[in-house]
Amino acid sequence: MVKHIVMFQFEGSDDQRLAVARKFRDALIALPAQIDQLKSIEVGININPAEQWDLVLTAVADSMEDVAAYSAHPAHVAAVGLIAGHKKSRACVDYIIEE
């Protein structure tokens, strides 16, 4: 199993960034019902104003091939489209879950 963790930083005022984060979160949490390769997803909006990241997602898939399929899926592409023009930065880590 692979854990896919992505953090996003958005541009704009605090209120604008929060609105984008909420809309993006809502789209992301709907994805497991639409994408077979996605075993689970957890999405959180940062509440710590001292930190630079606005949103983090943790997704689980069986393999890196499944992560790639999830990333290319039209429902995921549509969700990512919601942050077009708002994304300032993105960081990602993928790792194997040790069992």
Side-chain angles (χ1 to χ4, degrees), residues 61-73:
D62 286 332
S63 66
M64 283 304 297
E65 292 79 15
D66 286 345
V67 172
Y70 144 70
S71 295
H73 191 282

Side-chain angles (χ1 to χ4, degrees), residues 11-67:
E11 296 182 319
S13 69
D14 290 347
D15 289 342
Q16 290 169 327
R17 291 183 4 251
L18 181 57
V20 169
R22 286 179 173 157
K23 190 182 301 187
F24 191 38
R25 176 200 57 203
D26 293 348
L28 291 170
I29 61 175
L31 294 179
Q34 303 171 61
I35 304 173
D36 292 337
Q37 294 88 348
L38 190 56
K39 301 304 176 198
S40 67
I41 194 166
E42 181 178 342
V43 183
I45 297 173
N46 185 23
I47 61 168
N48 183 347
E51 297 297 332
Q52 66 177 340
W53 300 100
D54 295 303
L55 181 139
V56 63
L57 75 87
T58 303
V60 176
D62 286 332
S63 66
M64 283 304 297
E65 292 79 15
D66 286 345
V67 172

